[in-house]
Amino acid sequence: MKKYLSFLALPLLAGCTTLPPLSDGVTLSIRTYNPATGDFVMELRNETVRPILYLNPYLTFHTIRSPDPEPFPESPEGMVLMVHSTKLVPGGTAVLSGTCTVGGACSKPETYVAVRACWLAKGWNCKQYFPIWSETPLESV
């Protein structure tokens, strides 16, 4: 009986694989940016074979592209954070647009943008969201 059980467990273990990093096939591109007004248009692409979840609208603007994952963001004291997970199917594209405060992080040279994403698993929330950074800084467009 022992041999029979181990024979059955082998295909199950062989099917367990680790998912590739989100950076393999998920990209964020800056389409337009107006430094005078802070208006931007970006494109998030999922060129993988799996759906992803990304936090919408929740962008990070920074001069350092940190690879560190983060949990779902908490609401500041006394405020409601209007962020939700949005599904992006394989081969799908999402256009993100908005305005970044001109005097804030966007005004610094070499500022990159990130959206937080994770592989879609069982639910609509993930324990950790990984940054998908733009390949170029805002002002390079």
Side-chain angles (χ1 to χ4, degrees), residues 109-131:
E110 298 293 311
T111 295
Y112 293 86
V113 186
V115 65
R116 299 283 170 173
C118 63
W119 294 113
L120 177 61
K122 295 179 183 178
W124 280 92
N125 286 319
C126 300
K127 289 183 181 179
Q128 297 288 311
Y129 290 85
F130 296 85

